[in-house]
Amino acid sequence: MFAVFSHRQSLAKEMFGKIGFMMLEYQWRRIDLQNLVTNRKTMTWSDWINFEQTKRALCVMFILSDLHMITFNITPGFVIDRDLMIEAPDSNELWAAKTSEEWEEVQRSHPNSPQDTIQSILECMIRAPPSPPNSEPYCISGFTAIVVMHAINIYLWHLNQLAQTVSRFSLGIWPHENLRTTLLRAAISTLERTEAALQAGRSSDYKIAWDDPEHTLVFNCSAVLRAGYSRLLPPSHSFNRLTLLVNDSEALSRAVKTYVNVPLERNEFVTKAASKAYEGFRGPVTIGATLVSKTAAFSWSIEHAVAGWDSALLLTKWVHSMEVDVAGQQPSDEELQLLDDLKSLLAEVQYEHETNVEVYSLAALLARTWAALLGDIWVWGVTPRMAEILRLLALEYQRQADSVLRNIGQ
């Protein structure tokens, strides 16, 4: 299923045609998993391998479904209640055991490890239960964490769909704006709680964290979390991401113009999402934009490329709305601070091919810079296509910004 990220249209269509098969396979495997013996005291190493590999296969299918949603804006293939009623993967130490003796030794070192379902872990992230006094910290593996992050992203997608449905079709039954705001605040609360949990799981020693596979997975979780903040925007503000799969220049041009022309409703939720998207841009620039663009594909997961694409669309759109706001909405202090931070960050980037940076709109400059980050990642064939679209967006942002300046001059 990773073939959909290859940018080979025929191959991607073939793989999308198999999504239904993947969903059916998921349900059969999930049902079979519930029928397997899970008594740890009587389970042999061979039994455990069969049990564990089924769990991990289900997790990979779930992750792929969310990656497809973020990248191409298609409806997720799974839901978070029934489909996550599976036991969470065991520790990576058990999974890495090479012999039955080694596996048994690791088992003895964790005799009372709780076997929670992914759904129960997700519920704790969404709404933390009261902790009894002197309770042990709630710990999960890095692989389980990345699955939960994708589950939260799908949960937020459903929450956003509900918020928009209530807002549009309440028919006066509910005070829909209050309910919509309540749902979005619940989403923010979930994201902030999740972010705090990720911060607690990071090492203070950057070098150790970078070399440790567990902390690398936490690093990947942060990328998925940023994509989660984008779910706070109404679906109507989404770019037609299926253009990643077509070679029709006219269709691509229409998608770009439509996305740029749709007004963006600026509010506290959009500002929060934009600030998180900014963090996704700040990371590569702080490390070194050229270094990241040339080497990230060898060590960073596909989540970073997908989240970068998602964040680039959101942040450039937000900056453009600030530049050409025809409604005259006064920017908040948070918005002004974010713009200043972004300008300072862009000033740190070396523009080898830009002769006169001052003539660019900030949105266009940001889109071109982010395109450079994605354009050099050739491990995933779809990322150069993402860069191409961002460059087209930069041209449209610039064209509209110039038009606004001309109108002001008249």
Side-chain angles (χ1 to χ4, degrees):
M1 295 303 292
F2 276 106
V4 298
F5 302 110
S6 68
H7 185 46
R8 291 177 57 185
Q9 186 175 359
S10 59
L11 187 58
K13 285 184 177 180
E14 180 183 351
M15 291 300 103
F16 273 123
K18 295 180 179 179
I19 288 180
F21 169 79
M22 183 182 75
M23 295 171 62
L24 183 61
E25 181 70 12
Y26 185 98
Q27 299 304 332
W28 280 117
R29 285 176 177 262
R30 182 181 62 83
I31 293 171
D32 288 343
L33 189 68
Q34 294 174 346
N35 297 327
L36 292 176
V37 177
T38 59
N39 188 337
R40 298 307 173 108
K41 295 181 179 180
T42 60
M43 186 179 289
T44 66
W45 186 41
S46 177
D47 293 335
W48 179 85
I49 289 175
N50 184 40
F51 184 62
E52 185 68 14
Q53 70 182 5
T54 301
K55 290 192 295 183
R56 290 175 178 252
L58 291 173
C59 290
V60 170
M61 293 181 197
F62 191 90
I63 289 172
L64 280 172
S65 177
D66 186 46
L67 288 174
H68 294 162
M69 181 193 74
I70 300 171
T71 308
F72 303 105
N73 196 33
I74 61 176
T75 303
F78 302 110
V79 293
I80 60 172
D81 50 3
R82 176 198 63 192
D83 292 335
L84 291 181
M85 286 294 293
I86 57 176
E87 185 181 294
D90 273 312
S91 68
N92 288 338
E93 290 83 1
L94 277 173
W95 182 245
K98 295 180 173 59
T99 64
S100 60
E101 291 77 13
E102 183 180 349
W103 176 77
E104 290 171 358
E105 179 65 28
V106 177
Q107 278 276 64
R108 285 192 292 270
S109 65
H110 303 283
N112 299 316
S113 57
Q115 300 303 316
D116 300 288
T117 65
I118 296 178
Q119 185 198 54
S120 66
I121 297 172
L122 177 63
E123 288 176 352
C124 288
M125 299 299 292
I126 294 174
R127 184 177 60 184
S131 300
N134 303 320
S135 61
E136 291 293 326
Y138 194 69
C139 298
I140 58 177
S141 69
F143 181 67
T144 301
I146 195 72
V147 178
V148 173
M149 289 302 108
H150 284 283
I152 286 174
N153 203 42
I154 291 179
Y155 161 75
L156 294 172
W157 183 90
H158 285 290
L159 201 64
N160 193 7
Q161 294 294 320
L162 176 59
Q164 302 310 314
T165 301
V166 168
S167 178
R168 287 175 176 266
F169 306 111
S170 64
L171 301 178
I173 299 175
W174 302 300
H176 53 79
E177 281 303 322
N178 291 338
L179 183 55
R180 176 173 176 262
T181 301
T182 299
L183 290 171
L184 291 176
R185 290 195 187 283
I188 287 287
S189 177
T190 297
L191 287 165
E192 290 176 344
R193 186 179 299 110
T194 304
E195 187 171 11
L198 287 180
Q199 292 289 348
R202 288 175 178 160
S203 171
S204 57
D205 188 328
Y206 178 80
K207 186 177 186 304
I208 293 176
W210 190 257
D211 294 336
D212 185 352
E214 282 290 299
H215 286 91
T216 301
L217 287 171
V218 174
F219 180 53
N220 298 341
C221 288
S222 300
V224 181
L225 182 66
R226 287 195 299 274
Y229 277 94
S230 298
R231 308 285 81 78
L232 300 176
L233 271 68
S236 59
H237 291 82
S238 180
F239 181 77
N240 179 12
R241 305 184 186 195
L242 289 176
T243 52
L244 286 168
L245 301 173
V246 301
N247 295 317
D248 187 340
S249 58
E250 291 185 2
L252 184 54
S253 178
R254 287 195 301 270
V256 166
K257 290 181 179 180
T258 299
Y259 182 67
V260 175
N261 287 332
V262 172
L264 177 64
E265 177 190 356
R266 287 173 22 226
N267 53 44
E268 60 178 306
F269 304 111
V270 174
T271 303
K272 185 73 171 180
S275 67
K276 292 302 174 181
Y278 163 78
E279 291 179 7
F281 178 65
R282 183 181 62 188
V285 173
T286 302
I287 297 171
T290 302
L291 176 65
V292 170
S293 65
K294 299 296 184 182
T295 63
F298 298 108
S299 56
W300 293 20
S301 72
I302 183 64
E303 277 95 351
H304 290 278
V306 169
W309 157 249
D310 193 63
S311 296
L313 291 173
L314 165 60
L315 189 57
T316 58
K317 174 70 174 180
W318 177 83
V319 173
H320 177 69
S321 70
M322 294 285 291
E323 290 182 314
V324 299
D325 181 16
V326 295
Q329 179 181 347
Q330 291 297 316
S332 66
D333 292 340
E334 291 79 7
E335 289 177 322
L336 291 174
Q337 183 62 54
L338 182 55
L339 277 179
D340 288 342
D341 292 343
L342 184 57
K343 291 176 183 177
S344 300
L345 194 62
L346 282 169
E348 298 179 14
V349 182
Q350 299 295 321
Y351 302 101
E352 299 176 356
H353 305 292
E354 308 293 353
T355 57
N356 190 4
V357 174
E358 289 76 11
V359 303
Y360 288 103
S361 80
L362 189 62
L365 191 58
L366 176 61
R368 291 167 69 92
T369 306
W370 218 318
L373 290 173
L374 289 171
D376 280 339
I377 302 175
W378 289 90
V379 172
W380 308 103
V382 74
T383 49
R385 180 65 167 174
M386 294 173 176
E388 178 186 350
I389 291 175
L390 288 176
R391 292 188 184 98
L392 291 175
L393 280 170
L395 293 174
E396 186 63 22
Y397 288 142
Q398 187 65 51
R399 187 189 67 79
Q400 292 204 9
D402 291 342
S403 176
V404 170
L405 288 176
R406 284 195 299 270
N407 292 336
I408 293 176
Q410 295 174 357

